[in-house]
Amino acid sequence: MKGQVHNQGELKELKVEIEKGVVESIEGMANNTGYSLNELVVIALKRFRASHSDYEKKTISLD
């Protein structure tokens, strides 16, 4: 994971409201790992997308 590059290319801001405990936990993880808060959030969101691609209504090609 350390060798992967995240948050490359064009960036767009996403403002969200998150439970205080979750924010404090992710801030602690950022401090402990050396990753920025932005990097940890994008890693988590990418993993969520990979696990829940059905949420994106992808079509399956039978070709």
Side-chain angles (χ1 to χ4, degrees):
M1 188 165 90
K2 281 282 188 188
Q4 291 181 328
V5 179
H6 299 281
N7 250 7
Q8 297 298 304
E10 184 180 356
L11 301 179
K12 182 176 179 178
E13 184 178 42
L14 172 67
K15 183 177 178 180
V16 296
E17 295 286 325
I18 303 173
E19 295 173 9
K20 180 181 176 180
V22 174
V23 172
E24 291 172 348
S25 178
I26 209 88
E27 287 172 337
M29 293 169 77
N31 289 332
N32 291 335
T33 63
Y35 281 114
S36 71
L37 187 59
N38 285 347
E39 287 174 304
L40 282 182
V41 170
V42 80
I43 290 166
L45 288 173
K46 284 181 176 182
R47 288 183 177 184
F48 183 86
R49 274 181 64 200
S51 297
H52 301 285
S53 61
D54 56 318
Y55 289 5
E56 295 187 89
K57 295 184 181 181
K58 293 184 179 178
T59 59
I60 298 172
S61 175
L62 300 176
D63 296 331

